Amino acid sequence: MISNEHVSKVYKMGEVDLRVIKDLNLQVSHGEFVAIVGPSGSGKSTVLNLLGCLDKPTEGKILIDETDVTQLDTTALANFRGENIGFIFQSFNLIPVLSVYENIEYPLIMIQNLPEQERHKRIMELLKDVDMLDQKDKFPDQLSGGQRQRVAIARALVTKPKIVFADEPTANLDTKTSNQIITLMRNIQQEFNTTFIFATHDEKIVRVVDRIITLVDGVVTDDKRIAS
Amino acid sequence: MKNIIKMSLRNLLRSGRRTALTASLITIGVVFVLVYAALSGSFKAYMVGQITDSMLGHVQIHKKGYVASIDSLPLDKNLNQKQIEKITEFLDDNPYIESYTFRLKLGAMFSNYIASTSVRLNGINPKKETQTLPLFASRIDGSDPSSLKEGSIIVPELLAKGMNIKKDDTIVLVATNQKGSVNGLNFKVAGTSETVSGPGGRDGYIHINDVKKLLRIKQVEVSEVVVRLKDVDQLYKAMQLLKPLTLLKNEKDKPLFEIHTWEKLSPFYNIVKMLDIMDISIKIILISIVLISILNVMVMSVYERIKEIGTIAAMGTTPSTISKLFLTEGLMLGIFGTILGAMLSYVIVFVINTIGITFSFGRQDNLTLNPVLNFNEVLVVSIIVIIISLIASISPARKASKLNPVDALRQN
């Protein structure tokens, strides 16, 4: 469902062109649990940004469910992200002025404009799934790192996205919490058949994914499927 | 929209101290403008009332050229009976006019048998004069000018003091008529008068019939017609109806009459204009305060929340929604500041009216300023502040909406 052909990304650094992604050709199917790994500066986050429609490639095209997202303007791209894509960030990026419930509700109101009854049903189900039901009225600064990431996962899933991109989702968490979060994401992927694409260094994630794509200096050097 | 307002409100409350400081700056600005407008409006209304109701009237009509040579009080520029009848015709038909009176003015020599000096004499019809100028009596000490009898004079205070003249003293007035014939008559002092701006001036008042005797004229003659309107705000409508008078020509095909509003005749009108300019200047200062404070706070807000903007953009919030979030924040700051400012202004004006700010003016003591907060003024100032708040938020909102999500998410 995600396919890209000859994707390159060049950043201008003054007079110098820095080619961070070189001729990327990837296909990711529905429901895959994929990790993009590689050393720092290998281009993992850039690939995530490109596939997540946050950035546009300098060359090549990216198709998501047959939509060429490279042809969409800023507003159309924002709408496309709102309908199809969820994000989980390393530092959670919750909105500090909103409660747990409201943070999860935000994309449903501001982006998908869902009626209140349906919003409430979806949020309560997700809060139960991420085990945060009793914390729903708290604000982000009243939560631990693990709890915040659970909320961020619920927020990413509440729009029922086809793909969730997670950039180092466990980097700010301790081992025990990381394991809980990874298990949570794995369960959700299996339950809803949601595609998860991680950019990570974390061995704990690498151990549970179905596929590991290794990136070195912007080039895919290995693409390995793990038999479950 | 409800959710945008909710988000904006919470963002404002997030930086509570900064929001309070900015809103209070706007509040102070609004209070300053509204209280100043109320006070200056009260002062203007009082002064204009004094000038028009005790001396000038709202409109004056003269023979063409009289005002230009008013210092010499020329007798050859008086209106004759036919001309007076024409003017009366227009005045009686004008629905905006409450009353009018005629004055016959001349320059004369004034003597108390010991010393002599020049005086400007106003021959008045006492009843009509006090009817047309309701505050005229407040300028007179020692007698009621509405019952000024023939043979009596109200002496300018300046001369009375300088020449040690008291009530019931006898003085002599000597005047030269148009034919060069000199005549003198005795008058009994009925009281003293001060000018609107205090005890200066050399205007004395005698009965109009005494002027005729002094000048030895038999025919009807008038130097000026003083007109009082029912409502001074209808001045320009009243003037429109009087305009045909200015188009009337004499046998030499020159305009016959000239009509002046109090604004043209009184130097105080320039002060009124200055007060109006100050009013505008203060509004410009207010606009600057609002513009700078909101621009500053919104720019800070965008810089502080770059990562948050990146997050909501990544989730799929469109640039226009992001822009609306920041515009709403700026707008709400402006609205809070304005509402608080307007409320506080009403309280301050109420307190001023309760305490009562008094001042003395000429012969009148304990005059109280009665500031009134005009609702239209409040509305205009509020609309200005709210529009400026919105304008000040445009640039930061635009910056926020144009942020590249990838760059924004990279910020710490």
Side-chain angles (χ1 to χ4, degrees):
Chain A
M1 78 191 281
I2 303 179
S3 82
N4 52 70
E5 298 160 14
H6 309 294
V7 167
S8 296
K9 182 69 185 176
V10 178
Y11 287 116
K12 274 211 170 302
M13 306 285 277
E15 297 287 303
V16 184
D17 284 351
L18 197 65
R19 189 170 285 266
V20 290
I21 301 296
K22 296 158 195 161
D23 197 27
L24 186 75
N25 293 283
L26 273 179
Q27 266 76 43
V28 179
S29 308
H30 251 302
E32 278 197 276
F33 209 57
V34 184
I36 301 171
V37 297
S40 293
S42 58
K44 300 187 296 290
S45 294
T46 306
V47 170
L48 223 59
N49 291 338
L50 290 170
L51 300 183
C53 306
L54 289 176
D55 207 354
K56 285 191 176 184
T58 314
E59 291 159 19
K61 58 176 166 179
I62 299 168
L63 295 165
I64 298 177
D65 281 347
E66 289 164 17
T67 304
D68 183 355
V69 293
T70 54
Q71 297 301 314
L72 300 178
D73 65 18
T74 315
T75 302
L77 211 55
N79 287 329
F80 187 86
R81 286 198 300 270
E83 295 296 331
N84 300 286
I85 294 169
F87 287 96
I88 300 168
F89 304 98
Q90 180 180 338
S91 46
F92 329 121
N93 293 19
L94 298 178
I95 299 169
V97 290
L98 301 181
S99 68
V100 165
Y101 185 94
E102 289 164 339
N103 258 288
I104 302 169
E105 192 183 28
Y106 177 90
L108 296 181
I109 297 177
M110 302 294 274
I111 297 155
Q112 291 197 339
N113 205 14
L114 238 58
E116 191 178 352
Q117 233 177 348
E118 194 176 336
R119 283 202 311 258
H120 183 72
K121 190 168 161 254
R122 265 203 219 180
I123 296 163
M124 294 309 274
E125 279 170 10
L126 267 170
L127 279 169
K128 208 170 139 196
D129 286 346
V130 297
D131 199 19
M132 288 292 290
L133 204 54
D134 54 344
Q135 313 283 330
K136 70 180 173 61
D137 296 321
K138 288 192 173 166
F139 282 82
D141 60 357
Q142 297 170 304
L143 304 175
S144 68
Q147 287 174 321
R148 287 185 206 184
Q149 198 58 299
R150 283 167 189 274
V151 179
I153 291 168
R155 183 181 66 182
L157 292 168
V158 77
T159 55
K160 298 192 174 167
K162 290 171 186 156
I163 318 153
V164 172
F165 292 92
D167 194 358
E168 305 280 10
T170 52
N172 285 350
L173 304 174
D174 59 43
T175 309
K176 189 182 161 199
T177 316
S178 295
N179 283 330
Q180 288 171 347
I181 293 293
I182 294 163
T183 308
L184 175 66
M185 289 191 283
R186 189 57 157 155
N187 291 342
I188 287 166
Q189 176 256 336
Q190 284 168 350
E191 190 181 342
F192 300 109
N193 199 32
T194 310
T195 309
F196 272 79
I197 300 178
F198 301 94
T200 186
H201 286 106
D202 191 345
E203 275 301 313
K204 296 186 286 302
I205 293 180
V206 176
R207 276 201 296 270
V208 297
V209 293
D210 306 326
R211 184 178 170 190
I212 303 164
I213 298 165
T214 308
L215 211 61
V216 177
D217 293 336
V219 178
V220 175
T221 56
D222 192 19
D223 187 352
K224 187 166 60 181
R225 284 172 202 276
I226 317 286
S228 51
Chain B
M1 198 61 209
K2 193 177 117 195
N3 294 299
I4 289 179
I5 293 171
K6 186 169 88 179
M7 283 276 290
S8 303
L9 186 63
R10 290 207 185 163
N11 278 321
L12 286 175
L13 294 175
R14 168 157 56 164
S15 315
R17 198 178 294 176
R18 193 172 62 198
T19 302
L21 193 68
T22 312
S24 61
L25 264 175
I26 298 167
T27 301
I28 291 167
V30 170
V31 167
F32 193 47
V33 170
L34 290 179
V35 173
Y36 172 80
L39 283 171
S40 72
S42 163
F43 178 69
K44 269 191 296 189
Y46 174 79
M47 286 306 292
V48 171
Q50 278 289 311
I51 288 164
T52 57
D53 294 356
S54 72
M55 191 172 77
L56 287 179
H58 297 129
V59 176
Q60 288 192 0
I61 305 170
H62 302 90
K63 193 169 184 175
K64 183 77 182 171
Y66 187 86
V67 171
S69 50
I70 200 161
D71 277 347
S72 60
L73 301 172
L75 295 172
D76 62 333
K77 287 192 164 52
N78 284 343
L79 300 159
N80 62 30
Q81 181 153 15
K82 210 173 145 195
Q83 290 160 345
I84 294 165
E85 278 167 10
K86 193 77 203 163
I87 290 170
T88 310
E89 206 177 287
F90 270 85
L91 294 180
D92 289 341
D93 286 346
N94 194 317
Y96 299 108
I97 291 170
E98 186 174 294
S99 64
Y100 57 88
T101 185
F102 300 114
R103 286 179 188 156
L104 183 51
K105 303 174 89 157
L106 73 154
M109 287 306 290
F110 176 98
S111 170
N112 64 349
Y113 303 102
I114 300 165
S116 299
T117 186
S118 64
V119 67
R120 296 162 57 90
L121 287 174
N122 293 268
I124 57 169
N125 176 333
K127 285 239 155 30
K128 291 287 275 179
E129 186 81 9
T130 45
Q131 196 183 335
T132 308
L133 304 167
L135 294 180
F136 177 53
S138 69
R139 293 203 290 120
I140 309 301
D141 188 24
S143 79
D144 174 10
S146 65
S147 54
L148 182 70
K149 292 186 175 61
E150 290 183 32
S152 299
I153 179 170
I154 294 168
V155 182
E157 194 172 24
L158 185 76
L159 298 192
K161 279 190 178 153
M163 298 171 80
N164 200 21
I165 292 164
K166 291 179 188 63
K167 197 180 172 189
D168 297 331
D169 284 358
T170 303
I171 57 99
V172 181
L173 290 176
V174 179
T176 310
N177 69 12
Q178 267 199 76
K179 291 171 188 154
S181 162
V182 179
N183 190 26
L185 286 176
N186 285 336
F187 285 85
K188 197 173 172 187
V189 175
T192 57
S193 72
E194 63 164 18
T195 65
V196 169
S197 55
R202 307 178 81 87
D203 276 270
Y205 296 87
I206 56 175
H207 200 287
I208 196 163
N209 293 340
D210 286 337
V211 179
K212 287 184 188 170
K213 284 182 209 160
L214 196 59
L215 293 175
R216 290 195 282 225
I217 49 174
K218 293 211 165 52
Q219 73 279 19
V220 177
E221 235 177 71
V222 156
S223 310
E224 69 187 12
V225 184
V226 180
V227 179
R228 176 176 180 78
L229 302 180
K230 288 174 184 157
D231 179 2
V232 70
D233 292 336
Q234 305 292 328
L235 182 63
Y236 295 98
K237 286 185 184 167
M239 283 297 280
Q240 281 301 313
L241 293 181
L242 292 175
K243 206 178 171 186
L245 264 178
T246 59
L247 304 175
L248 295 176
K249 303 278 172 71
N250 61 16
E251 56 278 9
K252 291 179 190 161
D253 206 31
K254 294 270 167 62
L256 206 50
F257 304 114
E258 57 186 16
I259 307 178
H260 294 97
T261 62
W262 74 270
E263 295 165 351
K264 292 276 185 310
L265 294 167
S266 169
F268 181 74
Y269 185 61
N270 291 328
I271 298 172
V272 170
K273 280 206 285 194
M274 270 174 59
L275 286 172
D276 289 342
I277 290 169
M278 273 183 72
D279 207 44
I280 293 169
S281 311
I282 287 174
K283 282 194 181 108
I284 291 170
I285 294 170
L286 170 74
I287 288 169
S288 314
I289 292 173
V290 174
L291 198 71
I292 293 166
S293 30
I294 291 194
L295 190 66
N296 179 45
V297 84
M298 294 312 294
V299 168
M300 293 268 286
S301 188
V302 171
Y303 276 112
E304 277 174 5
R305 278 152 53 194
I306 285 180
K307 195 166 187 175
E308 196 179 308
I309 296 164
T311 307
I312 62 172
M315 285 196 286
T317 312
T318 57
S320 71
T321 306
I322 294 173
S323 183
K324 276 182 209 157
L325 271 169
F326 283 88
L327 285 175
T328 310
E329 265 181 55
L331 194 64
M332 283 168 95
L333 257 178
I335 292 172
F336 289 150
T338 309
I339 291 173
L340 263 174
M343 279 164 45
L344 208 58
S345 303
Y346 274 110
V347 171
I348 291 171
V349 167
F350 175 76
V351 170
I352 291 174
N353 279 320
T354 310
I355 296 170
I357 295 180
T358 55
F359 66 104
S360 296
F361 190 79
R363 185 159 284 153
Q364 301 168 68
D365 288 326
N366 291 324
L367 297 168
T368 311
L369 274 182
N370 294 310
V372 176
L373 209 47
N374 187 319
F375 179 72
N376 285 343
E377 184 75 19
V378 176
L379 200 67
V380 167
V381 169
S382 304
I383 289 170
I384 290 174
V385 172
I386 289 166
I387 289 174
I388 295 300
S389 308
L390 203 60
I391 291 171
S393 312
I394 288 174
S395 165
R398 210 174 132 79
K399 183 177 170 54
S401 69
K402 295 263 175 203
L403 277 175
N404 178 332
V406 176
D407 295 335
L409 284 165
R410 260 192 223 124
Q411 295 275 329
N412 287 314

